[in-house]
Amino acid sequence: MNTTIAENLSSVQAQIEVACQAAGRPSHSVSLLAVSKTWGPEAVRAAHDAGQTAFGENYIQEAVDKIGALKDLALEWHCIGPIQSNKTRLVAEHFDWVHSVDRLKIAQRLSEQRPDHLAPLQVCIQVNVDGGETKSGVSPQELPALAQAVATLPRLQLRGLMTIPELAETDAQMRAVHAQAKTLLEALRQQGLSLDTLSMGMSADMDAAIAEGSTMVRVGTAIFGKR
């Protein structure tokens, strides 16, 4: 397992570098979030041994158990899945980042429940940029008000936006969707918010996302294999 995961990580990093070169961007401008949902602690440990430190989890209770099993490692944990109200305390107490805030109520609970001894929780707002009916996320129209409200909450630091658009038929169409997210981020910056993160792009649309300004790509299967 260790050899395979290390080789896969190297391959994904190489793909990121090529995409950055094509976009005229330095490779260090895009970070890799390894999506480790449904994989056990041993797979995360193998990825860490290969140099990966940031991991994304969708299922909160599963992630909390994994975080506890790996507390001997210096890892950065990102919650990238939907958050129900009864799970906000677990997220606030165990994660470093949350990408999937799409309601003020959830942000307020995370703020209230973030322990004082921990650094502020790093937050991205999830935007349903292409209007997919089955996708979570705030609408582009409601985003500015939510972003301004989240930015005022203590114990949270608003970093940027996260998107999970539907895959388009062509690369040009995919880039156009990702470009909308970049435009939304820039608009929030012009409104005075200091944002630096665009969590955008997965295995199938990574190149298009990087071409349109993604600063963090989320990759699971290409690293850990098929579940």
Side-chain angles (χ1 to χ4, degrees), residues 7-182:
E7 291 173 347
N8 290 348
L9 270 169
S10 179
S11 178
V12 171
Q13 289 285 10
Q15 184 182 348
I16 291 172
E17 289 184 17
V18 170
C20 285
Q21 289 174 358
R25 301 176 57 189
S27 58
H28 63 75
S29 66
V30 178
S31 61
L32 172 61
L33 184 63
V35 179
S36 47
K37 66 177 182 181
T38 76
W39 289 94
E42 66 283 354
V44 175
R45 195 174 291 275
H48 172 266
D49 289 345
Q52 181 67 25
T53 57
F55 294 87
E57 293 282 336
N58 290 62
Y59 309 120
I60 293 166
Q61 187 58 60
E62 173 199 320
V64 169
D65 294 342
K66 204 178 301 182
I67 291 167
L70 295 164
K71 59 186 177 183
D72 59 305
L73 302 181
L75 304 178
E76 185 178 85
W77 293 99
H78 296 236
C79 177
I80 59 176
I83 304 172
Q84 297 174 324
S85 294
N86 63 350
K87 291 292 197 321
T88 54
R89 184 173 296 278
L90 286 175
V91 175
E93 292 179 347
H94 292 91
F95 284 85
D96 304 293
W97 280 70
V98 179
H99 293 228
S100 45
V101 169
D102 61 0
R103 288 172 289 156
L104 183 57
K105 175 185 176 182
I106 296 298
Q108 289 170 331
R109 289 176 66 89
L110 291 171
S111 173
E112 293 164 1
Q113 295 167 346
R114 182 67 169 177
D116 288 340
H117 71 277
L118 296 179
L121 188 61
Q122 308 299 293
V123 171
C124 290
I125 293 176
Q126 184 173 350
V127 186
N128 187 353
V129 71
D130 59 349
E133 293 183 3
T134 62
K135 297 291 183 182
S136 300
V138 65
S139 70
Q141 294 76 24
E142 296 172 331
L143 171 63
L146 178 59
Q148 292 289 349
V150 171
T152 68
L153 294 173
R155 312 298 305 144
L156 304 183
Q157 182 174 357
L158 182 60
R159 296 292 295 272
L161 305 179
M162 186 267 261
T163 65
I164 314 177
E166 300 287 348
L167 289 177
E169 293 183 2
T170 68
D171 184 66
Q173 290 171 331
M174 196 75 252
R175 285 190 58 168
V177 173
H178 288 317
Q180 294 176 36
K182 179 69 180 295

Side-chain angles (χ1 to χ4, degrees), residues 12 15 167 201-207 217-223:
V12 171
Q15 184 182 348
L167 289 177
M202 297 183 283
S203 297
D205 62 338
M206 183 194 311
D207 292 356
V217 293
R218 310 180 305 272
V219 179
T221 302
I223 295 171

